[in-house]
Each structure stands twice: as C-alpha cells, then as structure tokens.
Amino acid sequence: TMIGNLADAKISLETSAALARLTGDRLTEGLALTRLGFCLVCQTELGQAAVAYERALERFSEINSDWRRDRVLFGLAVLRLKQGELREASHIIAQLESRWFASDTGWRSARIKLLRGWCSVLEGSNNRAIQDLDLASSVFRDLGAQRDLALCCEFRGDARWARGERDAALAEYASAEALGRMVSESSDVVVEATRKSGEVLVMSGQVREALAKARTAHRLTRRNIDELEIVATSRLRGMIKVKRGRIGLGLSMLSEAWERFVRLGAMGEASKTADWLATCQHAISRLSLVASRRKLSSQEPRPVSRSGAKQAEATAHGIVSQDGRILKSVHVTLRAASLDLPILILGETGTGKELFATLAHEKSGRKGALLAINCAALPADILDAELFGHAKGAYTGAYRDRPGLIEAASDGTLFLDEIGEMSLAVQGRLLRALEAKEIRRLGENHPRKVGTRFVGATHRDLHRMVKEGSFRADLFFRLRGVVVHLPPLRERPDDIPLLTDHFLSQMAARMGREFELTSEARERLNAHPWPGNVRELRSVIERAAAMCEPGAAITPDDLGIEWTQGSGSLEEHLEEEERRRLIATLESVEWNKTKAAHLLNLRRTTLVGKLTRLGIEKPRKKK
C-alpha cells in the first residue's frame, strides 16, 4: 500500500482477513480489515471501504480493543465526510469526542476539532467551523504537524468562501498550498487547495487566473491516484469551458463529473456538481429567453424556459439530450423514483435503458444496492437460480445456502435487462415476487419476504409477445406500473452533436488532451443511421479519439463508418426503416391507429400524416 501497489495490497489484505476469520483470530482479522479499508479509500472504492471499516469495528469490539476501535472510527468518520453522509459522520465524531478526553488539548483533541470543523463546513455552520479550525491550528502549529495545519487552512478557506469572503478564502488556500508543499509537491492538500482556488476564481469571473490553477491541478493529478480529486479537477475545467463560451463541451464535462461522483459514492460532490449544472443551464436559458424576447418583442415568448428547465434537469442527472421525448422520460423517471411501483423501460438496444434504471434507483432513497442481470445471457434454469437462489442440498453441488439477486437487492433495486427473453416458467415465479413481495429459494418450503424494487427493460414488442403467448399478460400489466419510452438515436438527430461533444470530453479527461472533429467528420456522424444507437456512437468516438495522433483533428476516415451503401440513398434507407417500424407497430395492435400512436409516442394526426407520406395502408382481407 505504501509504495502505491494498491491492487496487490488489496488481494493480500483480503486473503489475510479471510484466513484470520477461518482460524478465529479476531485481532489479525480486524487489523487486516482496517488496512483493507484504507487501501480501498486510496482506490476510491468508498462503499467497499465502509464495509471493511464496519467489519473491523465489530472485530475490535468483540475483543474489547477500544483504542484500535477508535482509530477505525476516525477513519470511518473521514470516509463518511468524503461520501457526504454528514449525519452519520457527525454521530461518529460525537462518539470520539466523548471518548478522546474532550478536556485534552493534545494532538488527538486537535484532530477531533479538525474533523468537526470539516463537518461544520459541509453542514453550512461556517462560524463554528472557523472556531474549531482555529483551535486545532494552534495545536498543530506547536506540534509542527504541517499536513494537519494545511488541512485546517483548506477547510477554513471553504468556510470563508461560503461566507462570501473571496480574498480571505484565496489567502487560506494559498497557505494550504505552501504548507502542503512542505510535505510533498504533489500531496493531496496541494491538489485540493489549488483546485479550490481555481473554483473561487472562475466563480468570481477571473477565468484566465482560474485556467492557470486548473492546469496546475491537472498536472498534479497525473501523479495523484485520488480519483475524487481527478474528477473534481475535470469539473473545474468544465466550468471554465462554460465561462469561455464552449458551452456544449463544458456542460458535457460537468455531466461526466456528476456521473463519476455518483459511481464513486461521493454524493456531496455530486450534489454540488448538479447545482452548478443547473446554475449554468439556468443562465443559458435566461440568455435564450432574452434573445427570443428581443427578436419577437410583439409576441409572447415560446416555452423556451420550460424546455430549458427540463434540459437542465436531465443534464444535472447525467443524461445528455435536448430531445423532448428524452427530457419527458427523465422527468417521468424522477417523479416515479420514490414511488413503490415497478418501472418498465422500452427502447432499442443502446438507447440508455440502464442509465435510466440507475437514475431511478439513485433518486429512490433506497438504502440497498442496485443489482442488474441480463435475462438474455443465461439459460432459463440458471436464470431462475440467479434470481431466486437455493438452499443447501437443493441439488448436487449446492454445498451452502445462496440468496438470489431478488433477495440480495431487498431494500434496493433489481434491474432486469432484456426481460422479454425470460421463459414463461421464470415469468410465473417473478410475478409472485412482484405481487406478494416474497420469494422461495429452490429447495425450501417457506417463503421469504423481500422489499425489492423492480425495473425491467426490453427492446422487444411486449404487446405482440402477449398476443403470441410468449409473455404473460398478468406479468406485463404488473410490470408497467410506470412506462418510460426511449426513442432511437436516428429519430433525434439534434442529440448527435451534443453526445459527440460529451464523449469527446470524456476521452479528453481520460487521456489528458483535447480532441477536435473536422466539419466533414461531423457531417458523417450526422448522416449515419446509428443502428446501435448511443452505444454505437460512444464506441465510434472512443475508438477515433484513441487512434487519433496528438495535435491532429479527427477526420471521417478516423471514424471507421461508411456512408449508407445499397441501391438507395441514406434518406431512402431511413424511410424504409421508418416504414418497417410503423407497419410492425400497427400490426401488433391490429391496425388501431390510436393505440399505435400511443406506443410510438406520437399524436394520432402525426401518425396519419406519416402513413399518407409513406403510402402505408391497411391490407385488405382476402375473400
């Protein structure tokens, strides 16, 4: 761990903890779990680190090793602050304050005040934070604890900035940088203080000075393995892009930062990023509204602000689109997230169904995990075992009890991808889980209650499958508590440039250099029919960026996609695809145009116009 070989350290510590558990050596198991938790924090695997620390607490409590338990509690408090879980962090700090001799004026008491000051900043109690940090600083200064003193300056800078004291905040960050460099030129405190200075400068309108800070922080993060700081620096660069007028790219970088913070479990930073996204989108919407009012002064303004608000809402949650149907789907998903209803997501392969399932889980407030399974990837009997689990001795090789995914996702969310491929037998058991909120493991006679929230997704036409008898009607109607439709990428061409810039910004953050597309390359992207939808576009952009020479722009040849081949033009190819889809939908509802329009998320008059344009008529019955 100390030399940075975290992957090998993790394996060794996991092995050590497992062996100690088998031999009943609780002390060694607790020590291994403590070091494993620290290793996982260094790898920014915060959720797993919390589990390791909590298991270490149990071991040390069992052997009454209070001082080791307190050390783990301190590490867990730091972890909870990183995750933004302030209530739990405050509770742990209170425990430590009662145990670590509140009257003691030494190093341990000062570290508690440092933690309390950090927590107070995040809670918005800035005056209290400054008082605690001042007291801690005086102790650290006498002890020569440069890193802890630098942290006090950094958090005091956060409090000053929150109080609107810009110059005082910048002075605190400068002190933190100077003290941090006494420990190491690329220490975490130096990176954080530099990046936070850049944030203050860009929010104050000093974009050039902020850019210099961002470049320094970006250079330092190449030697720093803390992914949280890498993402935060990328967020700063996104803010600067927006301020300099590169709005699409800047918003994409901010959106990518939000996604990565959520994946890392840093919900405090994710919330801050979402606020900045919403602020940027609100400012852009206001500029658009002012422009439209100047242009159309005699008319009522169009609902630009409403669509702008929906786009801000989608972007704040990591979904890049300006298509009204996608924005509506985001709004529906957010409203349905906290409801105890199943969600059914319909859309072609690659349209982002799992992204919407993740959004529904994250906004549900559920404490359990999000688990996912592809129903098309497993045979029926194995899928049944994966979902429902088995008891020990249920069949040959079942040497222990094993919970299924439905049980494991209790108090969480289970995402059933490609649910249309599920066999009828498994569908019947799944219906029982949905209706009765209980499952029965294979080999057991008694049911088990579960609190799992189900989200299903498919590219199949479930209406037609119900009529054909390949999908249970009762399960279909139970699943569609809330239905989310995701249109294919070829039907929303305005999203192609947005998504392109978004994926380019991701590659820029990953590879440490900017990418540009030639106008011909953009034309090629806009003309492609994208049968693989957003997933295909992402793959094309990532491959082109990876293979592009440094300093060169991405050309059509770099994309690796061709103009649509065949006897017809691209327009004819798309018309044929549209004709095929319309006919298939009409046939599934026996040519009922009202039902077909509902399935296609179109107005009936729009559907009738398309049928007339494409020459589609209901076939006459043969006499």
Side-chain angles (χ1 to χ4, degrees):
T1 304
M2 299 306 295
I3 65 173
N5 193 349
L6 298 178
D8 288 347
K10 178 182 175 183
I11 295 171
S12 298
L13 291 167
E14 286 174 338
T15 304
S16 177
L19 291 172
R21 185 165 57 254
L22 289 173
T23 58
D25 187 347
R26 296 176 183 177
L27 174 59
T28 302
E29 183 184 357
L31 292 172
L33 289 169
T34 302
R35 288 167 174 77
L36 176 60
F38 176 73
C39 177
L40 291 168
V41 169
C42 293
Q43 289 184 298
T44 327
E45 298 180 26
L46 304 184
Q48 294 183 42
V51 172
Y53 279 143
E54 287 169 353
R55 286 171 56 197
L57 285 175
E58 293 175 3
R59 299 294 86 81
F60 291 141
S61 297
E62 290 168 358
I63 62 174
N64 297 318
S65 181
D66 290 342
W67 71 274
R68 290 189 178 93
R69 180 177 177 273
D70 289 347
R71 288 181 62 189
V72 178
L73 275 174
F74 189 92
L76 190 57
V78 172
L79 175 60
R80 294 307 187 194
L81 289 171
K82 282 178 174 286
Q83 291 178 304
E85 298 181 10
L86 305 185
R87 182 178 299 177
E88 188 168 349
S90 183
H91 176 68
I92 295 172
I93 294 169
Q95 289 184 61
L96 291 172
E97 283 177 327
S98 65
R99 298 169 63 88
W100 281 19
F101 312 110
S103 59
D104 178 23
T105 58
W107 179 75
R108 292 204 305 177
S109 177
R111 296 211 83 192
I112 288 295
K113 288 183 172 59
L114 171 59
L115 274 186
R116 176 61 72 187
W118 184 9
C119 187
S120 296
V121 170
L122 297 177
E123 290 174 335
S125 303
N126 298 301
N127 292 335
R128 178 181 177 178
I130 292 174
Q131 291 174 2
D132 284 334
L133 292 168
D134 283 344
L135 291 172
S137 294
S138 63
V139 176
F140 293 140
R141 190 175 294 109
D142 293 340
L143 296 174
Q146 304 292 355
R147 184 178 183 280
D148 289 331
L149 186 58
L151 285 171
C152 287
C153 292
E154 178 191 337
F155 298 142
R156 202 158 44 221
D158 295 343
R160 300 285 189 195
W161 174 236
R163 295 201 314 189
E165 301 171 10
R166 171 187 168 279
D167 293 338
L170 290 174
E172 294 284 5
Y173 291 143
S175 298
E177 286 183 55
L179 290 165
R181 287 196 175 91
M182 294 181 183
V183 180
S184 170
E185 281 292 326
S186 59
S187 71
D188 55 345
V189 186
V190 176
V191 180
E192 291 170 10
T194 303
R195 184 258 305 170
K196 289 178 178 179
S197 297
E199 290 175 357
V200 171
L201 290 167
V202 74
M203 297 298 285
S204 304
Q206 295 178 262
V207 180
R208 183 175 298 177
E209 293 82 354
L211 180 59
K213 292 289 185 180
R215 286 171 175 167
T216 301
H218 181 61
R219 187 184 72 252
L220 292 173
T221 55
R222 294 180 181 178
R223 291 179 280 173
N224 191 304
I225 59 175
D226 185 352
E227 179 129 5
L228 281 177
E229 200 52 45
I230 293 172
V231 180
T233 302
S234 178
R235 178 181 63 190
L236 170 60
R237 295 170 65 212
M239 294 169 62
I240 293 172
K241 298 288 185 189
V242 172
K243 289 288 187 179
R244 299 182 77 185
R246 300 187 66 182
I247 296 170
L249 182 56
L251 292 179
S252 294
M253 293 179 74
L254 289 173
S255 177
E256 166 68 7
W258 180 87
E259 291 178 18
R260 292 168 71 183
F261 279 132
V262 170
R263 286 199 298 270
L264 294 171
M267 300 312 297
E269 292 295 334
S271 177
K272 184 191 294 185
T273 308
D275 290 342
W276 283 344
L277 266 167
T279 300
C280 291
Q281 285 285 7
H282 180 66
I284 294 165
S285 298
R286 288 188 62 187
L287 288 174
S288 300
L289 185 59
V290 169
S292 64
R293 282 176 174 171
R294 287 176 179 174
K295 187 175 181 181
L296 303 170
S297 57
S298 61
Q299 302 177 11
E300 289 294 323
R302 294 176 177 267
V304 176
S305 57
R306 185 179 304 172
S307 63
K310 285 188 175 181
Q311 189 173 353
E313 182 179 55
T315 308
H317 295 98
I319 296 172
V320 181
S321 177
Q322 59 183 2
D323 184 87
R325 293 164 295 176
I326 293 290
L327 301 181
K328 179 181 177 181
S329 295
V330 173
H331 187 65
V332 169
T333 303
L334 291 173
R335 290 191 63 187
S338 60
L339 304 177
D340 191 21
L341 288 173
I343 297 178
L344 181 60
I345 306 174
L346 304 175
E348 294 182 6
T349 299
T351 49
K353 296 188 288 293
E354 187 166 358
L355 183 60
F356 276 79
T358 303
L359 175 60
H361 171 70
E362 288 166 354
K363 294 302 176 181
S364 67
R366 290 176 166 265
K367 297 180 180 178
L370 169 66
L371 301 180
I373 186 170
N374 189 328
C375 301
L378 299 173
D381 54 343
I382 296 179
L383 177 61
D384 186 279
E386 286 291 313
L387 290 176
F388 298 95
H390 61 75
K392 181 180 179 180
Y395 54 84
T396 303
Y399 298 114
R400 60 181 177 86
D401 289 344
R402 181 179 182 276
L405 289 177
I406 296 177
E407 193 176 346
S410 191
D411 295 327
T413 304
L414 179 61
F415 176 49
L416 300 166
D417 198 9
E418 299 301 345
I419 197 170
E421 311 301 325
M422 187 179 288
S423 69
L424 288 171
V426 180
Q427 290 177 32
R429 297 194 68 190
L430 179 62
L431 178 63
R432 177 68 182 172
L434 276 163
E435 291 186 333
K437 293 293 184 181
E438 65 181 30
I439 58 101
R440 186 172 60 82
R441 293 180 184 176
L442 181 64
E444 286 186 344
N445 295 324
H446 61 278
R448 295 171 179 266
K449 287 294 183 181
V450 294
T452 309
R453 204 279 183 75
F454 293 89
V455 177
T458 183
H459 72 283
R460 301 283 296 275
D461 185 345
L462 293 185
H463 282 278
R464 173 180 288 184
M465 293 180 67
V466 168
K467 291 187 177 183
E468 294 173 348
S470 57
F471 199 87
R472 293 179 60 118
D474 47 6
L475 177 60
F476 172 63
F477 292 116
R478 190 68 183 84
L479 271 174
R480 54 177 314 199
V482 176
V483 181
V484 175
H485 294 274
L486 302 182
L489 185 57
R490 62 181 171 274
E491 293 184 5
R492 42 191 180 102
D494 290 343
D495 281 352
I496 294 175
L498 282 178
L499 289 163
T500 298
D501 288 339
H502 177 62
F503 296 141
L504 282 174
S505 71
Q506 290 181 334
M507 291 301 294
R510 190 183 308 171
M511 301 183 67
R513 57 190 177 95
E514 301 293 335
F515 296 97
E516 296 289 344
L517 281 166
T518 64
S519 57
E520 294 81 5
R522 290 191 178 274
E523 289 177 6
R524 180 72 58 88
L525 291 173
N526 293 334
H528 191 65
W530 301 112
N533 293 294
V534 181
R535 183 182 292 122
E536 182 188 2
L537 174 59
R538 180 173 191 158
S539 177
V540 166
I541 296 300
E542 288 180 347
R543 182 180 62 247
M547 299 303 292
C548 180
E549 294 292 336
I554 296 174
T555 66
D557 292 337
D558 297 326
L559 297 174
I561 56 176
E562 302 294 335
W563 293 103
T564 304
Q565 300 296 318
S567 57
S569 65
L570 175 64
E571 184 177 354
E572 291 170 343
H573 172 83
L574 295 178
E575 276 195 0
E576 183 58 34
E577 179 66 21
E578 186 178 18
R579 180 183 289 106
R580 181 195 63 76
R581 186 182 180 202
L582 290 174
I583 292 174
T585 304
L586 286 163
E587 288 178 347
S588 71
V589 294
E590 298 179 348
W591 289 82
N592 185 313
K593 294 177 183 176
T594 301
K595 291 182 179 179
H598 176 71
L599 288 176
L600 294 166
N601 201 20
L602 297 173
R603 292 182 179 179
R604 191 179 188 280
T605 53
T606 303
L607 174 62
V608 171
K610 287 179 176 288
L611 298 180
T612 302
R613 176 173 58 83
L614 297 172
I616 299 174
E617 296 181 354
K618 180 180 179 181
R620 297 186 178 183
K621 295 182 179 180
K622 295 182 179 179
K623 296 182 180 180

